[in-house]
Amino acid sequence: RKENFSYEGLESLYDFYEENIPDFELDVIGICCDWIEYKSEEKFLKAYDLDNLEQARRKYTVLETESKTYLVSE
């Protein structure tokens, strides 16, 4: 399922689960259904009809990668 996330996106997801749910049992399909990665802040905000990242973070779980892609889970 490498087409779902960038390499940095996968690293961010790994870190998220390690830090927040250490006993997490890997469910690749579940992760692919729960998360989506956007290649830019603009595309992410437009997809959710949001004004800024702070508004997004109040509503959703948002992870930002070093290359400025955004992973979002509702």
Side-chain angles (χ1 to χ4, degrees):
R1 305 210 79 129
K2 65 182 179 179
E3 67 278 354
N4 285 61
F5 305 105
S6 67
Y7 185 78
E8 285 185 337
L10 291 172
E11 287 181 318
S12 293
L13 287 169
Y14 178 82
D15 292 343
F16 173 81
Y17 283 107
E18 279 292 305
E19 291 172 14
N20 297 291
I21 311 169
D23 296 334
F24 177 75
E25 198 167 308
L26 181 62
D27 176 4
V28 175
I29 303 298
I31 290 172
C32 290
C33 292
D34 290 344
W35 294 89
I36 187 166
E37 184 173 12
Y38 290 92
K39 296 192 185 305
S40 73
E41 179 180 341
E42 181 181 300
K43 288 181 182 183
F44 161 51
L45 295 176
K46 185 175 180 179
Y48 286 83
D49 195 29
L50 298 167
D51 297 323
N52 56 56
L53 283 176
E54 289 307 314
Q55 184 182 25
R57 288 188 173 110
R58 284 193 299 269
K59 290 185 169 191
Y60 308 104
T61 302
V62 179
L63 307 177
E64 182 177 348
T65 68
E66 288 182 21
S67 61
K68 300 295 183 193
T69 65
Y70 296 85
L71 293 131
V72 183
S73 177
E74 297 181 12

